[in-house]
Amino acid sequence: MAYNNAYQDGSSALVEGVDSFDLNRAKICNAMYTASVNRQQEDTTLLSTLTDLHHTQVENMDLFRRCIDSEAIDGMFQDACCGLSDYSSCSSGRDENKACPLNELISEPVPFKKPGSYLNSNWCNITMDDKIIEDATFSCEKLPSCDVTCKGPHKDKLRIAAKECGCTIEWFLHSIWLQVGISLLIYALVNASRVGFLEGLARVLWERLHPGIFTVLSTCNPNGELLKKGDKDEQRKEELERESKYNQFENSSELATVLEERLQITLDRFWRTGLFMVVCACCLNAPWIWVLVATSNSARPEWWG
């Protein structure tokens, strides 16, 4: 499933990329090929025109060589232009009655060269019959093609990623359960510790919180006289009823002494119970602290580092 999922996105991107590449390649080919064909035809036509013109010029120059006395004309140019640019000086001086032909198409006119230098030039001997225009038509086959070199998703890496993904989901579910459980545990222990600590602290510091007045629950006979503890024994109850005799306190001082003794015992037990509750309340915080410390490292996945 992971392989198909990874391959699907890559395959779609590959198809879109190849289609886009082929479309751009076709556009470039059509544009460049049409322009190159037109240019090829224009150059071929131009070369043909220049070749025909060259043949005509060669024939005219051959006619000039046969029909014109180049040495006589060169002598006339020398007499008219001696001493000027590209012309040697004359011993008798330049003939002022002969005008030197000047090239006035340039900014500083200079004399034309002697006609014989043109007529005897080797440029006219060049042949144009072997000159051809090479094929410059744009070749669409020369454009690079898109060769797919991707071998698909890496199965080993996908296997590792899928395993980590599954373990992460499992860890996430366990972490939620552990989080809820630890939260409830901490809530219960903290509240129990709070209640026990306050109750125990109130018992330990009862002298500062109590007004010093105590209520005594006791037992008396039908005459309203208080009875001793021994008179309430179940084994002697029937005997006391038969004899109708009750052991009574002889005077109030004896009653005060007994009450003081019993009250001191009860208060000591009350204080020790409060101290035990305070200690137990403090110890109740140790379990949830230990759980947090233990789970903070063990609950972390190994591949997270």
Side-chain angles (χ1 to χ4, degrees):
M1 183 181 295
Y3 181 86
N4 293 334
N5 187 23
Y7 181 81
Q8 182 177 3
D9 295 340
S11 178
S12 300
L14 177 62
V15 172
E16 293 178 359
V18 171
D19 292 342
S20 177
F21 179 84
D22 292 340
L23 181 60
N24 293 332
R25 188 172 183 270
K27 290 181 179 180
I28 294 173
C29 180
N30 293 334
M32 299 299 294
Y33 179 78
T34 302
S36 65
V37 169
N38 295 334
R39 183 61 181 271
Q40 180 75 18
Q41 294 175 352
E42 292 176 358
D43 292 344
T44 302
T45 303
L46 178 61
L47 179 61
S48 179
T49 301
L50 293 177
T51 301
D52 294 340
L53 178 61
H54 182 266
H55 290 164
T56 302
Q57 294 296 332
V58 169
E59 293 176 356
N60 293 335
M61 291 299 291
D62 183 63
L63 181 61
F64 285 143
R65 290 192 189 99
R66 289 186 287 108
C67 299
I68 295 177
D69 188 358
S70 61
E71 294 181 359
I73 295 178
D74 289 345
M76 296 174 62
F77 269 73
Q78 177 65 32
D79 294 338
C81 302
C82 64
L84 298 179
S85 177
D86 294 334
Y87 285 89
S88 60
S89 59
C90 302
S91 59
S92 59
R94 185 165 61 90
D95 188 357
E96 298 295 338
N97 296 323
K98 298 179 180 180
C100 180
L102 300 177
N103 184 6
E104 297 180 353
L105 297 178
I106 58 178
S107 58
E108 295 181 2
V110 295
F112 284 104
K113 293 182 179 181
K114 296 177 180 179
S117 62
Y118 297 104
L119 295 176
N120 298 322
S121 175
N122 293 326
W123 290 105
C124 294
N125 298 328
I126 297 176
T127 178
M128 295 290 293
D129 296 334
D130 58 344
K131 305 301 180 182
I132 59 174
I133 296 294
E134 295 183 359
D135 187 11
T137 304
F138 185 81
S139 179
C140 295
E141 289 75 12
K142 298 296 182 63
L143 288 176
S145 60
C146 181
D147 297 329
V148 180
T149 58
C150 180
K151 298 181 180 179
H154 200 287
K155 293 184 179 181
D156 294 336
K157 292 183 178 179
L158 280 177
R159 188 180 298 107
I160 296 174
K163 181 179 179 181
E164 292 183 357
C165 181
C167 293
T168 301
I169 294 176
E170 183 180 0
W171 168 85
F172 179 72
L173 296 177
H174 289 173
S175 66
I176 293 178
W177 173 84
L178 186 62
Q179 182 181 6
V180 174
I182 293 177
S183 299
L184 294 177
L185 177 64
I186 293 176
Y187 177 80
L189 291 178
V190 169
N191 280 276
S193 175
R194 175 181 60 83
V195 174
F197 183 80
L198 293 178
E199 290 289 339
L201 191 63
R203 290 172 179 266
V204 173
L205 303 177
W206 69 269
E207 292 181 347
R208 299 183 181 182
L209 303 175
H210 197 270
I213 300 175
F214 302 93
T215 300
V216 179
L217 179 64
S218 184
T219 305
C220 63
N221 60 15
N223 297 326
E225 297 174 342
L226 298 177
L227 301 179
K228 296 180 181 179
K229 179 180 179 181
D231 298 332
K232 297 188 296 179
D233 186 60
E234 294 294 339
Q235 296 179 357
R236 300 182 56 195
K237 185 175 182 180
E238 294 180 359
E239 180 180 353
L240 291 174
E241 290 179 350
R242 288 193 303 266
E243 296 178 357
S244 299
K245 294 182 180 179
Y246 294 87
N247 296 326
Q248 303 174 357
F249 292 103
E250 296 178 356
N251 51 46
S252 60
S253 62
E254 184 181 358
L255 176 61
T257 301
V258 173
L259 289 178
E260 181 181 3
E261 179 182 353
R262 300 303 303 171
L263 182 61
Q264 187 62 39
I265 294 174
T266 301
L267 292 177
D268 291 342
R269 185 185 303 112
F270 186 78
W271 183 86
R272 287 193 298 271
T273 302
L275 182 61
F276 178 76
M277 292 177 65
V278 170
V279 173
C280 290
C282 294
C283 294
L284 282 177
N285 293 299
W288 66 264
I289 294 175
W290 177 82
V291 170
L292 289 181
V293 174
T295 57
S296 61
N297 294 326
S298 61
R300 183 181 181 88
E302 296 180 357
W303 60 85
W304 283 13

